[in-house]
Amino acid sequence: QVQPVESGGGLVQPGGSLRVSCAASGRTFSSYIVGWLRQAPGKEREFVAAISRRGKYTDYADSVKGRFTISRDNAKNTVYLQMNSLKPEDTAVYYCAGSGRVVISTEPSAYDYWGQGTQVTVSS
């Protein structure tokens, strides 16, 4: 079992950048597909991005393509989400989650191990 722990959230102005990190304890993170999902107040949790076990494959929600980049460093047991050109609608709690499935899924139910989340607020 793996326990993800997110960090790096905060307040940023529209158009700004932020990088959130997800470190894993317990079983090595390289055994899992890792995704970033987010939940805004009053909305359902939604898929943002995911990366395959060795980092060869990635997938992004249409709303963040071209602005967000997911990456991983398995030697450091850490996954990153670089967020550029941030918009107010990106404001949400961002969760890191591990999936034991064979291929990347955009469904939150495909992710088995969740972190506690980190707040990202985009506001002037």
Side-chain angles (χ1 to χ4, degrees), residues 13-108:
Q13 292 187 342
S17 298
L18 197 64
R19 188 178 79 162
V20 290
S21 301
C22 177
S25 62
R27 192 175 178 183
T28 179
F29 230 179
S30 62
S31 300
Y32 300 89
I33 289 169
V34 177
W36 285 96
L37 300 95
R38 67 187 181 186
Q39 188 165 19
K43 295 187 177 181
E44 294 188 352
R45 195 167 296 187
E46 65 175 2
F47 173 81
V48 176
I51 189 166
S52 60
R53 287 170 174 80
R54 296 186 179 183
K56 183 175 181 181
Y57 302 104
T58 58
D59 194 10
Y60 296 91
D62 288 343
S63 59
V64 307
K65 278 181 182 176
R67 301 189 298 122
F68 290 12
T69 302
I70 190 171
S71 61
R72 69 190 302 164
D73 185 340
N74 285 339
K76 295 182 178 180
N77 232 18
T78 303
V79 175
Y80 306 96
L81 184 68
Q82 176 67 44
M83 302 181 288
N84 299 328
S85 302
L86 281 160
K87 305 174 181 180
E89 50 263 44
D90 294 317
T91 295
V93 176
Y94 282 71
Y95 297 91
C96 172
S99 171
R101 296 204 177 182
V102 175
V103 296
I104 289 175
S105 173
T106 61
E107 293 295 327

